[in-house]
């Protein structure tokens, strides 16, 4: 996997994860290209696109588009499952996740993503394990914060 | 300086900004506050500030001043600060930034931290943005962690190792042993990481690949466990046990079994089992099936298994889910070369997919359909493809049109069918065809001599309906010009006869000439066609004269030149007009890839007397020369083409019919002399000499020089030449055609010969000129050209 992007129907970026080193300019260009391409698609069309030498897999969940850029030897159907798994994780964590949750708690969305994917590959295939890890990390943070008597974010 | 607000309040403030300008204002204030906070050494709300900065960065605003803060936060002992610090590092620091090196030490320390969550942060960051240097530094630590007893750390270390190997290839050796031992883990996360690591190692090093082939039985065993095991709540996705791991294992097996009989045999059973047992109602199952099919097709599997795989793809084609259909077609595309017959069985479904509303599916279906066209199904496939062409989206038209042309050229059952197909394409998608189509089509039309009448009628009618498709209009104009007499005669067996009169035809051509939709090239075609009609119609020649003279003052340079030349043809050279505008002979097909644009329509290029044979780009119809040469040699020609007369433009390539060699066969060949110039012809006051220069192994430049030894000027001096069959000839433009008296000025003509078969070079030269009002014509034969070394 090269990158993961989340953006709204108006094209606003909500999350970006890059797994290869790129300049800011290149990243901005990719974001622009992805949003234009994906938002232009018809509602019931195929979820797979071609862009340069990459395969783009996208899926819409409510008002958010999840967009993955993968290399040509990757399995597209599995990429759809990856997207779905991430949404499930977010859903479990936030409880009926919606776009606002991701906007106001973007750093948590990143933490969850970093427990699920790493270096562009799937890290853990068990939902329960990931959920447990996130809970534990949060607890670690909160304990520290309580100890220091400061609110968490 | 406004007080710092917690992260969520800031986000709210930014979102409530009503204009871009207001938003920028809020952000600028916040950034200023953040910068000030960063400068303070000890600050309780540090993680808040960095988090805010990261949000601002995501909106697209510059945040580079946060880089050092990230470095500081990572070094902090507090978990919350480390967390945000590492997140910031992954977002703001990539290997291109200098500051990234500063965190190497922190990462190193954190890798051996007592808390696994801190270790995990370090591992994650290294795997995300570690540069080659950092990777080299920290590789030993990672290797150590690969052997730790904590599964949580092991799985992350494995993926970190993957990143390291991607950055620094040589370190693969370091991780291979640890990777091997990880295969015996039970934890799926670790197993998955191990498989990914092994895949990466095998892809990069053939020796490692050899070593890991021994693990195939182990992998098969793991896979079997996954497929046959009962329901496992932790890893189940829609009835499939851990599809992510299954797919990765299948991919690794593919790499290990590729080009290796032994390994492929070991996995045959497993693949058959997965292929038959996997539930294909949901995406997860289909993902596993898809990967299985890819693996089967890529290893040395037995034929039964291959058939099974192709059948799975066939089933996918019938699936309701568009995504599945799409990937089925992508896979079939890959194997259509090798398993052609198997794919042909699914042709019907593929052709149906041409009608799918989704653009990606359509594209795939088009590519696959074009690959499946064969001699036996050409008619039905073409019907479908032509149907598709009329409804397909614009971006696919050019591809569809060229695909159809290529298929038609290879498999057309008859010439009429071929012409009809091309006409159909031109009328539906004429604007999207490539440039070479026009000359190719013209060449095709000339070869189908029985169909000239039919073709010109059809084209005329198409022209009447629509003059916006340029290639169609160009071909139509050319045909009308060339076969106008057939058009006017009106009787054609193949279509219902319609009486066409001369005025109608001229109207049509004039419309094309005057329409703003016509490109300059098209206009050129139309004008030349109009001119050609002057010898094919009887009553309206004056109209043609007036059309041509009008364009003599046209702004377009090309049109103006043509018009002026045609005018000259009417006025000064009227006696030659009939000969010049005669029917062209059949053109031979040139090598592909030569674009021709407008030259096929031209007959006259210079105002000079038309007998000049000009050097044209090699795409010109060569057969006109065929005619000439056959006539030149005064022999019967088998093709019975209309009489030569001189100079239709160029002369290239293939020489005359087989008779030539027979004619020259009886002559002795003199050994080539080293004399550079030889006199060839000396009669009637004309002295012609020939000299040669060897260009390369097979090509030769011959220069003919003529001079006048009489007291009277010689005019209209022309030379024509013929050479043996396999030799190619190209005559360049002569330096002139006027030989003034007493040899004051010489005329030279350069002829380039290409002799790939290295036959003996002979040349027959015909000399024609006028002297003191008397026309002379003579032929001379040169039996051996002196080849210079």
């Amino acid at each position: 996997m090269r990158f993961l992007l989340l953006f709204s129907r108006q094209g606003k970026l909500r999350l970006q994860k890059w797994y290869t080193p790129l300049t800011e300019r290149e990243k901005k260009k990719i974001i622009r290209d992805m949003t234009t391409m994906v938002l232009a698609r018809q509602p019931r069309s195929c979820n797979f696109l071609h862009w340069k030498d990459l395969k783009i897999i996208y899926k819409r969940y409510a008002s958010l588009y999840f967009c993955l850029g993968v290399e040509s030897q990757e399995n597209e159907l599995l990429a759809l499952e990856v997207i779905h798994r991430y949404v499930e994780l977010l859903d479990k964590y936030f409880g009926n996740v919606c776009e606002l949750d991701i906007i106001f708690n973007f750093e948590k969305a990143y933490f969850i993503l970093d427990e699920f994917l790493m270096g562009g590959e799937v890290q853990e295939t068990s939902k329960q394990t990931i959920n447990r890890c996130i809970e534990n990390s949060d607890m670690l943070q909160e304990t520290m914060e309580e100890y220091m008597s400061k609110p968490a974010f | 300086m406004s007080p710092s607000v917690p992260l969520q309040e800031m986000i709210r403030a930014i979102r409530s900004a009503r204009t871009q300008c207001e938003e920028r204002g809020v952000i600028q204030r916040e950034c200023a506050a953040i910068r000030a906070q960063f400068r303070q050494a000890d600050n309780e709300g540090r993680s808040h500030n960095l988090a805010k900065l990261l949000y601002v960065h995501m909106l697209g605003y510059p945040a580079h001043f946060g880089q050092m803060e990230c470095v500081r936060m990572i070094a902090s002992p507090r978990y919350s600060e480390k967390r945000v610090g590492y997140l910031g590092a992954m977002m703001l620091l990539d290997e291109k930034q200098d500051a990234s090196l500063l965190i190497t030490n922190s990462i190193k320390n954190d890798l051996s931290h007592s808390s696994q969550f801190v270790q995990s942060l370090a591992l994650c960051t290294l795997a995300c943005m570690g540069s080659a240097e950092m990777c080299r530094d920290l590789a030993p630590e990672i290797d150590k962690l690969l052997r730790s007893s904590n599964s949580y750390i092991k799985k992350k270390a494995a993926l970190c190792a993957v990143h390291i190997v991607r950055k620094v290839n040589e370190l693969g050796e370091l991780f291979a042993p640890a990777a091997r031992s990880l295969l015996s883990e039970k934890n799926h996360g670790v197993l998955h990481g191990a498989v990914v690591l092994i895949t990466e190692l095998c892809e990069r090093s053939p020796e490692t690949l050899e070593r890991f082939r021994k693990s195939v039985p182990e992998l098969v065993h793991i896979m079997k466990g996954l497929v046959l095991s009962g329901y496992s709540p932790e890893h189940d996705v829609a009835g499939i046990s851990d599809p992510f791991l299954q797919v990765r294992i299948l991919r690794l097996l593919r790499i290990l079994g590729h080009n290796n009989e032994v390994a492929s045999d070991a996995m045959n059973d497993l693949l058959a089992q997965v292929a038959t047992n996997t539930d294909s109602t949901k995406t997860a199952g289909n993902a596993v099936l898809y990967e299985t099919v890819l693996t089967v097709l890529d290893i040395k599997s037995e034929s039964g298994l291959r058939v099974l795989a192709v059948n799975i793809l066939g089933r996918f084609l019938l699936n309701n889910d568009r995504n599945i259909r799409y990937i089925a077609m992508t896979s079939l595309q890959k194997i259509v070369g090798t398993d052609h017959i198997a794919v042909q069985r699914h042709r019907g479904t593929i052709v149906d997919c041409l009608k799918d509303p989704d653009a990606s599916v359509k594209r795939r279906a088009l590519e696959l359909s074009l690959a499946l066209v064969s001699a036996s199904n050409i008619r039905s496939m073409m019907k479908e493809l032509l149907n598709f062409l009329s409804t397909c989206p614009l971006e696919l038209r050019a591809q569809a049109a060229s695909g159809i042309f290529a298929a038609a050229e290879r498999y057309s059952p008859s010439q009429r069918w071929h012409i009809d197909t091309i006409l159909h394409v031109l009328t539906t998608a004429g604007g999207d065809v490539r440039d070479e189509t026009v000359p190719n089509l013209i060449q095709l039309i000339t070869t189908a001599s029985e169909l000239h009448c039919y073709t010109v009628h059809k084209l005329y009618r198409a022209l009447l309906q629509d003059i916006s498709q340029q290639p169609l209009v160009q071909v139509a104009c050319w045909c009308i010009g060339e076969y106008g007499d057939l058009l006017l005669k009106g009787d054609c067996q193949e279509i219902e006869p319609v009486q066409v009169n001369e005025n109608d035809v001229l109207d049509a051509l004039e419309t094309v000439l005057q329409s703003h939709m016509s490109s300059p090239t098209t206009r050129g075609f139309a004008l030349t066609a109009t001119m050609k009609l002057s010898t094919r119609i009887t009553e309206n020649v004056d109209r043609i004269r007036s059309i041509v003279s009008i364009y003599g003052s046209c702004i377009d340079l090309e049109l103006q030149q043509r018009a002026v030349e045609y005018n000259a043809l009417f006025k000064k050279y009227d006696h030659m007009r009939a000969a010049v505008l005669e029917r062209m002979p059949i053109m031979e097909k040139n090598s592909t890839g030569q674009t021709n644009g407008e030259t096929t329509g031209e007959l006259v290029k210079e105002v000079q007397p038309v007998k000049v044979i000009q050097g044209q780009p090699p795409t010109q119809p060569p057969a006109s020369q065929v005619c000439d040469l056959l006539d030149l040699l005064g022999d019967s020609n088998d093709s019975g083409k209309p009489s030569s007369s001189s100079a239709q433009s160029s002369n290239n390539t293939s020489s005359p019919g087989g008779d030539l060699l027979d004619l020259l066969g009886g002559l002795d060949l003199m050994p080539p002399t080293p004399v550079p110039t030889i006199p060839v012809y000396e009669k009637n006051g004309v002295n012609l000499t020939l000299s040669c220069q060897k260009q390369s192994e097979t090509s030769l430049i011959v220069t003919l020089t003529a001079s006048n030894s009489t007291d009277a000027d010689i005019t209209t001096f022309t030379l024509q030449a013929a050479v043996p069959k396999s030799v190619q000839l190209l005559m360049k433009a002569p330096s002139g055609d006027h030989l003034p008296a007493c040899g004051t000025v010489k005329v030279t003509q350069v002829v380039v010969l290409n002799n790939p078969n290295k036959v003996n070079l002979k040349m027959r030269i015909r000399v024609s000129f006028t002297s003191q009002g008397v026309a002379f014509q003579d032929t001379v034969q040169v039996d051996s050209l002196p080849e210079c070394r």
Side-chain angles (χ1 to χ4, degrees):
Chain A
M1 196 182 310
R2 297 278 183 91
F3 57 83
L4 170 84
L5 300 174
L6 260 74
F7 47 87
S8 70
R9 305 225 297 155
Q10 287 78 35
K12 294 222 150 172
L13 193 67
R14 298 299 176 207
L15 201 115
Q16 53 177 328
K17 191 78 186 180
W18 305 92
Y19 291 109
T20 44
L22 295 165
T23 61
E24 279 298 324
R25 218 174 129 180
E26 287 166 333
K27 288 182 192 172
K28 285 208 164 72
K29 172 144 201 325
I30 293 179
I31 294 170
R32 254 202 325 268
D33 285 347
M34 290 301 116
T35 42
T36 348
M37 263 174 35
V38 171
L39 292 174
R41 296 281 281 181
Q42 299 294 335
R44 268 177 308 144
S45 39
C46 184
N47 293 90
F48 311 134
L49 294 168
H50 260 279
W51 183 80
K52 298 201 180 164
D53 61 330
L54 297 178
K55 296 199 240 197
I56 309 295
I57 293 104
Y58 76 94
K59 192 127 197 258
R60 188 177 140 215
Y61 286 86
S63 57
L64 268 183
Y65 282 92
F66 287 70
C67 177
L68 284 185
V70 302
E71 285 158 4
S72 45
Q73 68 262 38
E74 300 281 339
N75 186 324
E76 293 100 316
L77 295 176
L78 197 71
L80 279 176
E81 285 297 313
V82 166
I83 294 178
H84 191 71
R85 174 58 65 93
Y86 183 46
V87 173
E88 283 177 331
L89 291 168
L90 290 172
D91 196 49
K92 186 79 197 309
Y93 184 80
F94 289 109
N96 268 337
V97 67
C98 63
E99 190 182 343
L100 283 178
D101 288 322
I102 301 186
I103 295 172
F104 282 97
N105 300 286
F106 71 96
E107 79 287 353
K108 300 221 179 62
Y110 274 107
F111 296 149
I112 296 174
L113 185 64
D114 288 335
E115 284 296 328
F116 176 43
L117 300 173
M118 196 161 117
E121 305 285 346
V122 168
Q123 190 190 138
E124 176 59 64
T125 55
S126 155
K127 270 188 288 192
Q128 288 93 327
T129 316
I130 299 181
N131 288 329
R132 253 178 283 141
C133 288
I134 299 285
E135 275 168 37
N136 291 340
S137 325
D138 280 350
M139 240 177 346
L140 181 62
Q141 184 171 297
E142 262 165 48
T143 332
M144 303 285 304
E145 294 298 343
E146 267 167 27
Y147 178 67
M148 315 290 286
S149 62
K150 284 285 176 298
F153 292 139
Chain B
M1 185 162 60
S2 56
S4 174
V5 294
L7 174 65
Q8 298 199 345
E9 280 184 36
M10 180 195 84
I11 297 180
R12 222 167 273 130
I14 294 175
R15 283 170 61 80
S16 56
R18 268 160 301 160
T19 63
Q20 186 77 348
C21 190
E22 223 179 295
E23 179 182 294
R24 268 201 296 271
V26 173
I27 289 182
Q28 259 174 356
R29 277 197 304 276
E30 289 296 334
C31 284
I34 294 171
R35 262 195 297 257
Q37 300 278 352
F38 284 169
R39 264 174 271 150
Q40 288 183 356
D42 190 29
N43 183 353
E44 291 309 325
R46 277 163 78 189
S47 42
H48 306 179
N49 291 319
L50 189 54
K52 279 188 234 170
L53 184 61
L54 294 180
Y55 183 80
V56 163
H57 171 75
M58 190 150 61
L59 291 179
Y61 295 90
H64 44 270
F65 56 88
Q67 288 176 7
M68 286 314 294
E69 186 67 12
C70 291
V71 177
R72 261 177 264 135
M73 297 271 277
I74 289 174
S76 147
R78 284 201 223 169
Y79 179 64
S80 58
E81 291 183 356
K82 269 198 206 290
R83 228 181 174 191
V84 181
Y86 274 117
L87 180 63
M90 287 192 271
M91 284 177 77
L92 301 178
L93 293 173
D94 55 31
E95 58 181 49
K96 296 194 204 293
Q97 313 291 337
D98 299 325
S100 60
L101 286 175
L102 298 173
I103 61 173
T104 315
N105 217 22
S106 299
I107 295 184
K108 192 169 190 176
N109 292 335
D110 283 340
L111 281 176
S112 27
H113 201 275
S114 50
S115 160
Q116 64 175 6
F117 296 112
V118 173
Q119 284 178 302
S120 131
L121 287 176
L123 283 166
C124 191
T125 309
L126 184 59
C128 180
M129 46 75 71
S131 66
E133 266 182 60
M134 288 164 71
C135 290
R136 255 187 270 264
D137 263 344
L138 299 168
E141 304 291 322
I142 305 301
D143 190 47
K144 209 168 67 179
L145 290 174
L146 273 176
R147 301 165 207 278
S148 104
S149 51
N150 184 339
S151 307
Y152 182 69
I153 295 299
K154 262 194 285 205
K155 78 179 183 216
K156 291 184 189 254
L159 289 179
C160 201
V162 170
H163 176 86
I164 292 178
V165 171
R166 282 180 185 158
K167 283 285 177 197
V168 185
N169 222 344
E170 305 83 58
L171 288 172
E173 283 298 309
L174 175 63
F175 296 122
R180 185 90 181 63
S181 56
L182 285 179
L183 273 185
S184 36
E185 290 282 326
K186 291 282 170 273
N187 181 300
H188 280 220
V190 180
L191 211 43
H192 188 277
V195 172
V196 175
L197 179 57
I198 296 174
T199 312
E200 195 69 34
L201 294 174
C202 291
E203 277 175 348
R204 281 162 192 276
S205 154
E207 300 94 45
T208 324
L209 179 66
E210 277 301 319
R211 285 212 303 265
F212 274 106
R213 280 226 177 89
K214 301 189 211 102
S215 313
V216 169
E218 207 175 339
L219 290 165
V220 167
H221 178 76
I222 298 172
M223 189 71 190
K224 271 212 172 98
L226 289 172
V227 172
L228 298 175
S229 70
Y231 175 74
S232 149
E234 223 183 314
H235 301 289
D236 184 271
V237 180
I240 311 290
S241 183
D242 207 340
F244 303 103
L245 183 57
Q246 286 197 29
V247 166
R248 280 325 292 239
I249 294 182
L250 285 168
R251 207 163 120 186
L252 179 55
L253 287 175
R254 180 155 86 241
I255 295 172
L256 294 174
H258 183 69
N259 264 340
N260 185 293
E261 293 275 353
V262 176
S264 304
D265 279 338
M267 44 180 103
N268 253 317
D269 284 339
L270 168 73
L271 293 172
Q273 209 164 28
V274 177
T276 37
N277 286 352
T278 307
D279 176 21
S280 60
T281 43
K282 292 288 173 75
T283 314
N286 285 324
V288 175
L289 276 176
Y290 178 42
E291 198 72 30
T292 315
V293 166
L294 289 179
T295 303
V296 167
L297 294 174
D298 207 35
I299 63 173
K300 290 198 178 290
S301 48
E302 49 182 44
S303 57
L305 197 52
R306 277 187 98 84
V307 170
L308 182 58
V310 178
N311 285 346
I312 292 179
L313 289 179
R315 251 184 20 233
F316 276 0
L317 276 179
L318 298 165
N319 197 304
N320 281 329
D321 188 343
R322 204 160 267 137
N323 295 329
I324 312 261
R325 288 208 294 277
Y326 178 88
I327 55 157
M329 283 195 279
T330 348
S331 317
L332 285 172
Q333 183 80 33
K334 286 191 213 138
I335 59 166
V336 75
T338 47
D339 297 77
H340 193 89
I341 306 165
V343 183
Q344 280 280 4
R345 251 180 255 135
H346 303 284
R347 199 179 72 237
T349 331
I350 294 171
V351 165
D352 281 336
C353 286
L354 282 172
K355 306 188 189 95
D356 195 296
D358 183 279
S360 314
V361 172
K362 270 199 171 82
R363 181 189 298 273
R364 292 271 163 258
L366 174 66
E367 284 168 12
L368 208 45
S369 305
L370 288 173
L372 286 177
V373 172
S374 75
S376 48
N377 58 33
I378 179 72
R379 281 188 195 268
S380 48
M381 286 297 278
M382 198 48 83
K383 227 183 294 180
E384 298 287 345
L385 287 170
L386 289 175
N387 227 356
F388 174 71
L389 190 64
S390 36
T391 54
C392 79
L394 291 171
E395 61 267 12
L396 290 178
R397 268 184 157 183
Q399 192 182 358
S402 9
I404 290 176
F405 282 149
E409 198 166 315
R410 281 182 74 186
Y411 301 114
S412 67
S414 75
Q415 279 189 323
R416 175 166 161 187
W417 183 92
H418 195 172
I419 289 180
D420 277 340
T421 308
I422 300 192
L423 288 181
H424 194 134
V425 175
L426 286 180
T427 41
T428 35
D432 297 299
V433 298
R434 287 206 309 260
D435 295 330
E436 301 97 72
T437 318
V438 172
N440 282 343
L441 178 56
I442 290 177
Q443 188 266 325
L444 180 68
I445 291 176
T446 54
T447 52
S449 26
E450 328 70 72
L451 293 170
H452 286 166
C453 189
Y454 168 75
T455 315
V456 71
H457 271 273
K458 277 208 95 163
L459 282 169
Y460 176 67
R461 281 171 218 192
L463 189 66
L464 287 180
Q465 293 207 329
D466 176 18
I467 58 169
S468 61
Q469 310 267 36
Q470 298 305 299
L472 178 66
V473 174
Q474 287 171 11
V475 178
C477 288
W478 190 90
C479 282
I480 293 174
E482 190 70 4
Y483 307 120
D485 46 337
L486 295 174
L487 179 64
L488 294 166
K489 260 196 286 183
D491 56 343
C492 177
Q493 287 116 337
E494 320 224 3
I495 20 180
E496 332 144 3
V498 165
Q499 196 53 32
V500 181
N501 69 42
E502 297 177 0
N503 268 319
D504 293 336
V505 179
L506 288 173
D507 281 340
L509 288 175
E510 252 197 292
T511 321
V512 173
L513 267 173
Q514 290 163 355
S515 162
H516 61 276
M517 288 192 279
S518 304
S519 71
T521 318
T522 313
R523 284 215 172 105
F525 270 90
L527 190 60
T528 307
T530 314
M531 188 60 194
K532 284 203 243 181
L533 281 179
S534 71
T535 49
R536 289 159 174 77
I537 62 177
T538 47
E539 294 158 7
N540 285 308
V541 186
D542 283 331
R543 186 172 167 188
I544 295 184
R545 242 188 272 262
S546 62
I547 294 175
V548 165
S549 63
I550 289 174
Y551 278 88
S553 45
C554 172
I555 284 185
D556 183 283
L557 196 57
E558 176 67 30
L559 278 182
Q560 192 188 83
Q561 179 174 354
R562 289 187 191 210
V564 165
E565 291 169 11
Y566 296 156
N567 253 328
L569 203 54
F570 267 125
K571 299 207 169 85
K572 267 174 79 185
Y573 301 101
D574 205 35
H575 55 282
M576 279 203 259
R577 188 160 51 88
V580 170
L581 300 175
E582 261 197 347
R583 187 74 60 91
M584 276 185 164
I586 295 177
M587 300 178 216
E588 290 196 11
K589 189 104 173 99
N590 272 312
S591 55
T592 53
Q594 288 167 328
T595 53
N596 208 349
E598 52 214 320
T599 48
T600 46
E602 292 173 41
L603 293 176
V604 178
K605 256 300 216 183
E606 290 187 6
V607 184
Q608 287 169 18
V610 165
K611 284 199 180 198
V612 170
I613 301 170
Q614 258 212 324
Q616 291 274 0
T619 56
Q620 284 289 354
S624 48
Q625 180 64 14
V626 175
C627 236
D628 273 333
L629 296 171
L630 285 172
D631 193 49
L632 173 68
L633 301 165
D635 223 77
S636 58
N637 44 45
D638 11 322
S639 26
K641 301 184 188 57
S643 72
S644 67
S645 120
S646 35
Q648 305 256 342
S649 30
S650 67
N651 36 32
N652 187 12
T653 67
S654 40
S655 55
D659 297 309
L660 178 54
L661 271 178
D662 286 337
L663 283 179
L664 303 177
L667 302 166
D668 288 323
L669 294 171
M670 292 192 297
T673 56
V675 177
T677 320
I678 52 167
V680 187
Y681 177 77
E682 275 159 18
K683 241 201 236 174
N684 298 321
V686 170
N687 294 337
L688 186 65
T689 61
L690 179 150
S691 71
C692 302
Q693 201 180 351
K694 211 164 158 120
Q695 270 262 34
S696 74
E697 269 303 304
T698 55
S699 80
L700 191 69
I701 294 186
V702 173
T703 313
L704 296 158
T705 316
S707 65
N708 183 356
S709 57
T710 65
D711 289 332
D713 287 350
I714 287 179
T715 53
T716 68
F717 182 83
T718 43
L719 291 166
Q720 291 165 303
V723 287
K725 190 174 185 181
S726 60
V727 180
Q728 293 157 358
L729 175 144
L730 174 68
M731 286 185 94
K732 304 268 186 193
S735 62
D737 71 331
H738 188 95
L739 285 168
C742 309
T744 44
V745 176
K746 292 197 187 347
V747 163
T748 46
Q749 171 124 35
V750 174
V751 182
V752 180
L753 296 177
N754 190 19
N755 185 8
N757 296 346
K758 305 244 185 115
V759 303
N760 291 310
L761 282 171
K762 306 162 194 154
M763 202 189 252
R764 244 191 205 190
I765 305 174
R766 178 199 264 169
V767 182
S768 353
F769 57 93
T770 313
S771 174
Q772 295 171 314
V774 180
F776 291 86
Q777 203 182 71
D778 212 339
T779 314
V780 68
Q781 178 151 319
V782 183
D783 293 328
S784 70
L785 295 179
E787 283 180 73
C788 308
R789 286 175 231 290

